[in-house]
């Protein structure tokens, strides 16, 4: 049950679009920085396969310039 | 810690979020996610928030720990703390997650027939006391030793000192701060006659330039570094990184200047040469407030047992000092330092500009140096020549690594030569200690015995027959563990280890005592800016875990010293602190009363008339100044600081044809020192699961080494196998490799050299010669 956190960098002037696009994905929690052009993204998926699919989905977002992994681990089952 | 999976997951998500926030904070100045912080706390939680200092580094951030039903469930930055203003780094946010680790030491363990047997704590303390007493009876007082920590609380350090020096009557007490701060102490004492920085963190809000000397603050002092970045963005303050390795700090700085190992001595002198040659000396400041001195040269490296050195200071004048500096023109120094003439002149021009405020920061790069005391002196020279000292935004600032290296190791004085006030060699200092401790003055020996490295050499030689370590893991952190591990395994020495988790040091113990963790006891720490911080016990510890201070007191009582330790179990922290405060009474070092520390997020000493003193030695801010001038360096009898003539001398060991690479060791942001706590915090362990050996890409190419390949690094002392890392966390200069020391499975200190600064006795972990082989 992977939980990962990323720093997402939007293309110039597209922070709002990126926040919206990421917020529309159910497995993503988005937290934009108040005063910088960067977002914290936390993903919460059931297994590695769904994590992979989610990652591909995020990578396709047009307003996303760069996604950098910060931390990631599998939550134990019990 | 959590019963339900959903609560656990939400907590882990919060931690993942906080890691990302902290990573962002190290990249972006003044980044704010403030409104989100409290939203990450478990839903429906009814938390009680208690204040304290962070358990990990010497920055000393204020934390608030949220407890629910007797468990610590959340940590956030204390917005009232002037240190961090609500911000924390990745270690700070996650700190309480190690407490409940499955392998926590919850009961005493006594080795019987080669096996550890769980033993009631009272019985284990009986064994420790009996063994210590028997050893003293058979071999004398100097056959027993204690080795404590810059992570011990102030009361823990105080009772250890009173027990060893006042009760038993031996100076066989030293601590791991010898490995990180001793050169800073001797630097302060030789230049100013008084330990610890004159400024405070508020300097960050005023400085135009921050020059970091061999100091990767983005990883080691991350909250201070983000405060600097904030000033960079808000006011255009500049950060200049002067180092031997390109790190996260270098890339976030305005300028990164690299130098060859050990040549910082020469570059510092070249900066002074430039300051004088360009007429940038603040003549009236120097004339009124400084003396010039020189000491002995070719002072050795301490690699042999029982090495002895005493400096012989000699006064010189400005013209002699100026003549000495002729050897350090930028042109001459550029030839061997790897720093261009232009860059040396650039650094000098920053310090020399009377309209720019400059703070110099340093930590292990300058301290863990075979000429560490000299290096500290040389940076003070720069600030003294230009008069940029003891003013908001202007000053040299030696940072500490450990959370109470200042508060406990240096102020309480858990070094062999120290007393809570002053040194054992000073009769007046011994008299004061004897009076407060209520012991005969003759009992406190007047000669220092073993500093850390020599203490473990004495264990190996069989001279020390009983050693008790508290809050430290020397068999990972000492240099040349390839000698000191077999030394500690010898039957000739009875080893007692107090700790929270098993470590390679507890693996060689005869008795393991289960210590309380940080928030499971009350305590006080003192951080890098002379700030003393108190916290109350927040949660119960598991099993028979006991505060280290209380274990020391219990052993002292069993050995017949009960009258010297009349403290109660419930209030011993308070009682000890109140007794300790008597040592520092007065305007030069007065400590804040406990009632103040209980209310506020720390107070800076000297605490005089209800006020912290933020800038010492400056009459405008420091009530202890009494010479009628703007500045009074009152640590010296004549009120003058010393500008020292200190030359460049080569390191103890340099690369040669057999061992052609430099080895540099250090830390990473995710782990606290030897990793015994942070490697038990899942999010930190996952982020940085194991150590590695960093190469410059050209060296990796020449050796045909690829990322992740297993590499054997070997010195004349020992070897260690680690995966290669190229272009990842840091970038060493060509001809140098870097290895972090947090990983007990890859003991890089088997490889390092136990050479030390002859004045401070602090080892140099940054320079030795190694060879590289693919496994
Ligand atoms: S910077 Fe140091 S004191 Fe502050 S939160 Fe991080 S580890 Fe703790």
């Amino acid at each position: 049950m992977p939980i990962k956190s990323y720093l997402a960098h939007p293309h110039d002037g597209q922070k709002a679009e990126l926040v919206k696009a990421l917020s529309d994905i159910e497995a993503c929690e988005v937290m934009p920085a108040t005063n910088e052009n960067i977002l914290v993204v936390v993903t919460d998926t059931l297994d590695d396969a769904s994590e992979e699919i989610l990652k591909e989905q995020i990578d396709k977002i047009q307003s996303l310039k760069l996604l950098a992994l910060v931390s990631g681990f599998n939550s134990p089952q019990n | 810690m959590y019963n339900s999976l959903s609560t656990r997951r939400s907590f882990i998500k919060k931690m993942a979020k906080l890691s990302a926030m902290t990573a962002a904070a190290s990249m972006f100045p003044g980044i704010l996610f403030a409104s989100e912080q409290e939203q990450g706390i478990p839903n429906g939680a009814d938390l009680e928030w208690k204040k304290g200092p962070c358990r990990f580094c010497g920055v000393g951030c204020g934390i608030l720990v949220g407890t629910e039903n007797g468990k610590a469930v959340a940590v956030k930055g204390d917005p009232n703390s002037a240190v961090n203003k609500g911000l924390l780094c990745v270690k700070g946010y996650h700190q309480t997650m190690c407490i409940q680790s499955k392998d926590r030491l919850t009961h005493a363990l006594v080795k019987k027939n080669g096996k550890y047997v769980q033993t009631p704590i009272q019985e284990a303390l009986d064994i420790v006391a009996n063994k210590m007493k028997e050893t003293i009876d058979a071999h004398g007082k100097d056959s027993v030793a204690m080795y404590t920590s810059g992570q011990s609380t102030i009361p823990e350090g105080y009772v250890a000192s009173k027990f060893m020096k006042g009760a038993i009557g031996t100076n066989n007490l030293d601590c791991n701060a010898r490995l990180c701060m001793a050169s800073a102490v001797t630097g302060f004492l030789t230049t100013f006659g008084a330990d610890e920085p004159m400024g405070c963190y508020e300097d960050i809000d005023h400085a135009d330039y921050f020059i970091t000397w061999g100091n990767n603050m983005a990883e080691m002092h991350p909250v201070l570094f983000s405060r600097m970045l904030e000033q960079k963005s808000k006011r255009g303050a500049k950060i200049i990184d002067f180092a031997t390795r390109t790190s996260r700090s270098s890339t976030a700085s305005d300028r990164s200047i690299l130098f060859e190992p050990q040549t910082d001595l020469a570059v510092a002198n070249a900066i002074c040469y430039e300051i004088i040659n360009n007429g940038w000396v603040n003549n009236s400041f120097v004339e009124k407030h400084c003396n010039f001195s020189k000491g002995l040269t070719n002072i050795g490296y301490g690699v042999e047992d029982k090495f002895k050195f005493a400096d012989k200071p000699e006064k010189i004048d400005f013209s002699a000092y100026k003549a000495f500096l002729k050897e350090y023109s930028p042109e001459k120094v550029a030839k061997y330092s790897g720093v261009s003439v232009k860059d040396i002149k650039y650094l000098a021009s920053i310090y020399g500009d009377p309209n720019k405020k400059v703070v110099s920061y340093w930590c292990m790069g300058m301290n863990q140096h075979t000429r560490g005391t000299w290096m500290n002196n040389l940076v003070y020279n720069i600030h003294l020549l230009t008069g940029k000292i003891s003013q908001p935004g202007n000053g040299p600032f030696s940072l500490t690594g450990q959370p109470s290296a200042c508060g406990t190791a240096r102020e309480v004085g858990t070094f062999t030569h120290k007393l809570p006030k002053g040194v054992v060699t000073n009769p007046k200092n011994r008299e004061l200690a004897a009076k407060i401790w209520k012991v005969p003055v003759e009992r406190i020996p007047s000669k220092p015995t073993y500093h850390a490295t020599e203490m473990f050499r004495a264990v190996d030689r069989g001279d020390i027959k009983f050693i008790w370590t508290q809050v430290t893991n020397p068999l990972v952190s000492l240099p040349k563990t390839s000698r000191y591990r077999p030394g500690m395994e010898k039957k000739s020495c009875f080893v007692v280890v107090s700790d929270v988790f098993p470590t390679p040091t507890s693996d060689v113990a005869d008795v393991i005592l289960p210590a309380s963790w940080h928030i499971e006891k009350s305590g006080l720490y003192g951080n890098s800016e002379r700030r003393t911080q108190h916290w109350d016990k927040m949660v119960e510890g598991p099993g028979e875990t006991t505060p280290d201070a209380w274990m020391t007191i219990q052993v002292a009582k069993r050995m017949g010293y009960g009258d010297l330790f009349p403290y109660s179990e419930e209030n011993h922290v308070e009682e000890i602190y109140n007794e300790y405060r008597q040592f520092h009474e007065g305007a030069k070092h007065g400590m804040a009363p406990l009632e103040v520390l209980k209310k506020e997020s720390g107070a800076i000493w000297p605490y005089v008339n209800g006020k912290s003193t933020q800038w010492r030695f400056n009459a405008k801010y420091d009530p202890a100044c009494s010479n009628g001038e703007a500045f009074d360096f009152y640590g010296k009898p004549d009120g003058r600081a010393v500008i020292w003539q200190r030359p460049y001398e080569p390191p103890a060991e340099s690369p040669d044809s057999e061992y052609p690479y430099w080895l540099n060791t250090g830390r990473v942001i995710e782990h606290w020192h030897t990793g015994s706590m942070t490697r038990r915090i899942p999010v930190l362990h996952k982020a940085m699961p194991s150590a590695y050996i960093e190469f410059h890409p050209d060296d990796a190419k020449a050796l045909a080494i690829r990322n992740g390949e297993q590499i054997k690094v070997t010195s004349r002392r020992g070897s260690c196998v680690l995966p290669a890392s190229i272009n990842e966390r840091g970038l060493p200069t060509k001809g140098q490799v870097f290895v972090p020391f947090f990983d007990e499975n890859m003991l890089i200190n088997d490889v390092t050299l136990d050479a030390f600064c002859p004045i401070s006795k602090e080892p140099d972990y940054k320079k030795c010669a190694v060879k590289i082989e693919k496994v």
Side-chain angles (χ1 to χ4, degrees):
Chain A
M1 301 179 83
I3 292 174
K4 294 193 173 177
S5 67
Y6 300 88
L7 291 178
H9 301 251
H11 282 294
D12 278 352
Q14 297 189 29
K15 186 173 166 193
E17 285 87 333
L18 184 60
V19 173
K20 175 152 191 336
L22 286 164
S23 308
D24 286 347
I25 303 172
E26 207 190 326
C28 284
E29 197 179 321
V30 189
M31 185 171 59
T34 329
N35 55 350
E36 288 291 347
N37 207 27
I38 194 167
L39 332 174
V40 163
V41 183
V42 179
T43 62
D44 181 356
T45 46
L46 280 176
D47 49 36
D48 289 343
S50 12
E51 171 70 26
E52 271 305 299
I53 296 166
L54 173 68
K55 183 84 195 326
E56 280 168 23
Q57 199 182 347
I58 295 175
D59 282 340
K60 280 190 197 132
I61 299 174
Q62 294 286 321
S63 50
L64 177 72
K65 187 160 90 182
L66 177 74
L67 190 70
L69 179 68
V70 176
S71 75
F73 49 90
N74 280 308
S75 162
Q77 303 292 321
N78 49 43
Chain B
M1 205 184 290
Y2 296 96
N3 304 332
S4 88
L5 185 56
S6 68
T7 319
R8 188 182 168 81
R9 285 185 71 73
S10 75
F11 189 73
I12 290 172
K13 274 175 84 170
K14 176 196 159 221
M15 290 308 169
K17 199 194 277 185
L18 292 175
S19 311
M21 283 162 60
T22 313
S26 72
M27 292 162 56
F28 290 94
I31 195 163
L32 281 178
F33 296 98
S35 60
E36 300 291 336
Q37 207 174 76
E38 300 223 6
Q39 288 177 19
I41 293 160
N43 284 340
D46 179 17
L47 303 187
E48 192 189 344
W49 293 96
K50 292 182 178 161
K51 78 159 179 74
C54 172
R55 168 65 183 81
F56 293 128
C57 86
V59 172
C61 293
I63 57 168
L64 294 173
V65 179
T67 60
E68 191 184 31
N69 303 324
K71 302 254 186 252
V73 297
V75 178
K76 61 180 180 178
D78 178 357
N80 294 323
S81 167
V83 173
N84 52 315
K85 301 172 178 171
L87 206 69
L88 292 179
C89 80
V90 67
K91 288 193 293 292
Y93 279 122
H94 298 131
Q95 59 191 284
T96 57
M97 291 179 83
C98 63
I99 314 182
Q100 311 256 333
S101 165
K102 285 201 183 83
D103 61 350
R104 176 76 195 263
L105 292 168
T106 55
H107 291 84
L109 298 168
V110 176
K111 206 182 233 174
K112 288 180 185 154
N113 302 321
K115 286 222 161 95
Y116 285 112
V117 178
Q118 186 170 314
T119 305
I121 183 85
Q122 298 304 329
E123 204 181 310
L125 292 169
D126 286 344
I127 295 170
V128 172
N130 288 338
K131 191 71 198 177
M132 204 166 184
K133 204 161 178 306
E134 268 170 30
T135 310
I136 293 169
D137 291 346
H139 305 283
K141 294 169 174 184
D142 287 343
S143 63
V144 299
M146 255 183 121
Y147 182 68
T148 65
S149 174
Q151 295 159 72
S152 303
T153 64
I154 289 173
E156 285 164 358
Y158 182 79
V159 291
S161 175
K162 187 174 181 180
F163 174 49
M164 295 302 284
K165 302 188 176 206
I168 293 175
T170 172
N171 285 326
N172 283 2
L173 170 70
D174 217 66
C175 64
N176 63 8
R178 177 74 69 179
L179 311 179
C180 58
M181 294 317 302
S183 300
V185 177
T186 47
F188 277 117
L189 292 179
T190 47
T191 300
F192 304 103
D195 191 18
E196 298 199 28
M198 48 288 301
C200 61
Y201 297 158
E202 208 187 297
D203 283 323
I204 296 172
D205 304 341
H206 304 280
D208 300 305
Y209 280 89
F210 304 104
I211 302 189
T212 60
W213 290 73
N215 190 12
N216 177 8
M217 287 180 74
E219 292 200 70
M220 306 323 148
H221 302 91
V223 165
L224 292 185
F225 196 71
S226 60
R227 283 184 62 178
M228 281 155 58
L229 288 172
E230 189 186 352
Q231 296 303 319
K232 181 175 176 235
S233 141
K234 245 176 42 187
R235 300 188 288 113
K238 301 246 179 313
I239 306 173
I240 316 294
D241 176 61
F242 182 64
T244 59
R245 168 176 172 253
T246 305
S247 66
R248 281 185 174 178
S249 304
S250 326
T251 50
S253 294
D254 295 271
R255 189 87 178 260
S256 152
I257 299 173
L258 295 167
F259 64 92
E260 282 296 306
Q262 191 86 353
T263 65
D264 42 358
L265 293 158
V267 175
N269 275 328
I271 291 172
C272 294
Y273 172 97
E274 274 293 289
I275 287 170
I276 293 173
N277 260 28
N278 287 294
W280 294 330
V281 174
N282 183 334
N283 289 315
S284 74
F285 183 90
V286 172
E287 275 160 25
K288 273 190 199 149
H289 305 298
C290 302
N291 288 323
F292 292 84
S293 285
K294 69 175 185 181
L296 296 177
T297 55
N298 295 317
I299 61 177
Y301 300 100
V303 283
E304 59 276 18
D305 279 31
K306 301 185 181 175
F307 171 87
K308 289 232 178 321
F309 173 78
D311 204 6
K312 288 200 183 112
E314 201 183 304
K315 271 201 176 175
I316 56 168
D317 59 16
F318 180 70
S319 60
Y321 174 66
K322 195 176 163 189
F324 154 83
L325 285 178
K326 278 200 182 123
E327 273 313 297
Y328 298 94
S329 69
E331 291 72 19
K332 286 183 182 165
V333 170
K335 288 198 181 113
Y336 55 101
S337 65
V339 185
S340 67
V341 172
K342 201 170 140 224
D343 280 344
I344 294 174
K345 291 190 173 206
Y346 171 68
L347 286 168
S349 70
I350 296 169
Y351 285 108
D353 184 341
N355 300 315
K356 293 279 178 274
K357 292 185 185 150
V358 191
V359 176
S360 303
Y361 283 116
W362 68 92
C363 199
M364 295 310 133
M366 266 174 51
N367 293 342
Q368 293 179 335
H369 194 305
T370 49
R371 297 292 178 266
T373 308
W374 289 7
M375 230 3 261
N376 278 259
N377 293 148
L378 290 177
V379 173
Y380 296 138
N381 289 356
I382 300 172
H383 284 269
L384 289 169
L385 283 172
T386 53
K388 294 190 177 185
I389 195 161
S390 295
Q391 302 150 46
N394 257 335
F397 202 113
S398 144
L399 294 161
T400 48
Q402 301 187 80
S404 202
C406 283
T408 305
R410 293 161 72 169
E411 291 161 32
V412 169
T414 48
F415 294 107
T416 179
H417 64 287
K418 276 281 292 163
L419 286 167
K421 178 170 183 159
V423 288
V424 295
T425 45
N426 181 321
K428 279 204 179 119
N429 296 156
R430 288 201 305 279
E431 272 160 29
L432 178 70
K435 190 172 147 222
I436 294 173
W437 287 345
K438 299 191 178 77
V439 298
V441 68
E442 311 76 59
R443 195 181 294 169
I444 305 171
S446 60
K447 280 204 180 117
T449 54
Y450 304 112
H451 57 85
T453 307
E454 196 54 38
M455 183 179 274
F456 288 90
R457 288 175 180 171
V459 170
D460 183 42
R461 290 195 301 266
D463 295 344
I464 289 178
K465 298 182 186 305
F466 172 103
I467 190 166
W468 182 356
T469 72
Q470 288 182 344
V471 209
T472 186
N473 186 10
L475 293 190
V476 179
S477 61
L478 284 170
K480 199 175 163 181
T481 39
S482 46
R483 173 179 178 188
Y484 303 122
R485 189 180 326 101
M488 288 275 276
E489 281 166 350
K490 285 181 182 168
K491 288 216 161 50
S492 54
C493 187
F494 191 87
V495 177
V496 179
V497 172
S498 303
D499 214 328
V500 175
F501 300 112
T503 65
T505 308
S506 70
D507 286 351
V508 305
D510 294 284
V511 175
I512 302 173
L513 297 172
S516 308
W517 198 71
H518 180 216
I519 60 167
E520 296 162 356
K521 61 189 177 191
S522 302
L524 297 110
Y525 276 163
N527 77 355
S528 289
E529 63 163 353
R530 295 175 280 113
R531 180 180 295 274
T532 314
Q533 304 190 71
H534 171 268
W535 72 96
D536 276 321
K537 177 174 171 175
M538 303 182 197
V539 295
E540 285 299 328
E544 291 201 298
T545 53
T546 306
D548 280 304
W550 193 246
M551 290 198 271
T552 306
I553 292 166
Q554 286 298 307
V555 169
K557 284 185 171 169
R558 283 161 165 80
M559 288 174 69
Y561 305 116
D563 52 333
L564 303 181
F565 297 86
Y567 319 113
S568 65
E569 188 164 7
E570 311 68 51
N571 286 325
H572 66 277
V573 166
E574 198 160 335
E575 291 157 6
I576 293 166
Y577 181 71
N578 287 334
E579 180 181 314
Y580 162 61
R581 265 186 81 215
Q582 298 173 54
F583 277 92
H584 294 310
E585 273 169 4
K588 292 180 185 169
H589 198 144
M591 311 285 295
L594 203 64
E595 309 80 71
V596 171
L597 298 177
K598 282 190 171 185
K599 260 196 284 158
E600 293 175 14
S601 298
I604 294 179
W605 67 262
Y607 188 81
V608 187
N609 301 327
K611 249 185 96 190
S612 293
T613 304
Q614 286 183 288
W615 289 278
R616 284 196 296 167
F617 312 137
N618 180 334
K620 207 162 148 192
Y621 305 97
D622 184 349
C625 293
S626 62
N627 62 355
E629 303 280 353
F631 296 91
D632 181 2
F633 295 101
Y634 50 71
K636 292 283 184 190
D638 61 0
R640 286 165 170 266
V642 179
I643 293 175
W644 281 93
Q645 174 179 311
R646 303 290 202 192
Y648 164 81
E649 284 184 4
E653 187 179 78
S654 298
D656 55 21
S657 55
E658 202 183 343
Y659 296 94
Y661 290 88
W662 287 109
L663 169 66
N664 175 14
T665 67
R667 297 175 282 170
V668 292
I669 188 172
E670 292 85 353
H671 290 296
W672 174 247
H673 279 192
T674 64
S676 63
M677 291 175 279
T678 46
R679 296 188 84 217
R680 288 174 169 89
I681 296 174
V683 65
L684 298 177
H685 180 51
K686 294 264 177 178
M688 182 55 79
S690 62
Y692 52 82
I693 177 164
E694 261 175 22
F695 287 92
H696 187 279
D698 290 355
D699 291 332
K701 201 171 160 201
L703 294 162
I705 288 172
R706 280 186 309 218
N707 244 339
E709 273 185 303
Q710 290 294 303
I711 304 298
K712 186 174 176 191
V713 53
T714 306
S715 70
R716 291 178 178 87
R717 275 75 54 196
S719 62
C720 179
V721 175
L722 310 104
S725 166
I726 305 149
N727 278 330
E728 291 183 315
R729 179 65 60 98
L731 176 67
T733 44
K734 224 169 140 181
Q736 185 194 167
V737 295
F738 172 85
V739 177
F741 72 92
F742 68 84
D743 188 344
E744 65 181 46
N745 299 317
M746 299 175 194
L747 289 170
I748 193 58
N749 277 321
D750 278 359
V751 182
T752 51
L753 175 64
D754 58 350
F756 50 76
C757 166
I759 302 174
S760 70
K761 323 293 191 274
E762 175 166 345
D764 188 331
Y765 291 85
K766 306 292 185 188
K767 299 164 213 95
C768 72
V770 294
K771 64 182 175 191
I772 303 295
E773 294 156 286
K774 287 213 261 183
V775 179

